[in-house]
Amino acid sequence: MSIRDVEISDESIRLGQFLKLAGLAEDGAHARTLIEDGEVTVNGREETRRGKQLVPGDVIAVLGEKARLVSRLS
């Protein structure tokens, strides 16, 4: 499975925001549902906190899609 890089302009972002930005969730409600249903992993571990702070290098997977967080500041 390929991993695509998703660039942000800050040093960190919350998981729910990242899911929307990366196109892994349609909106905030969809992101919340995916997280609550156990469909989201961060670095291979299930994550249930929508507000989890992600940092560059984190790999987020949702329903077979993977995205890696990359910061423009790095």
Side-chain angles (χ1 to χ4, degrees), residues 1 3-6 17-20 25 28-30 37-39 46 50-51 53 58 62 65-66 72 74:
M1 175 186 319
I3 301 173
R4 64 186 166 87
D5 289 340
V6 176
Q17 294 170 320
F18 181 80
L19 292 176
K20 293 183 292 183
H30 186 221
D37 289 349
E39 301 291 347
E46 183 179 323
R50 192 174 72 184
Q53 287 290 327
D58 283 344
V62 179
E65 291 188 63
K66 286 188 176 182
R72 285 185 208 147
S74 301

Side-chain angles (χ1 to χ4, degrees), residues 9-39:
S9 57
D10 291 319
E11 293 180 9
S12 67
I13 189 171
R14 294 181 194 271
L15 178 58
Q17 294 170 320
F18 181 80
L19 292 176
K20 293 183 292 183
L21 175 70
L24 298 171
E26 296 169 11
D27 53 31
H30 186 221
R32 180 174 48 249
T33 300
L34 289 168
I35 294 166
E36 289 174 354
D37 289 349
E39 301 291 347

Side-chain angles (χ1 to χ4, degrees), residues 7 21 23 31 36 41 45 47-48 53 56 60-62 67-69:
E7 191 173 73
L21 175 70
E36 289 174 354
T41 62
R45 303 180 83 178
E47 183 54 64
T48 59
Q53 287 290 327
I60 295 79
V62 179
R68 178 179 22 244
L69 177 61

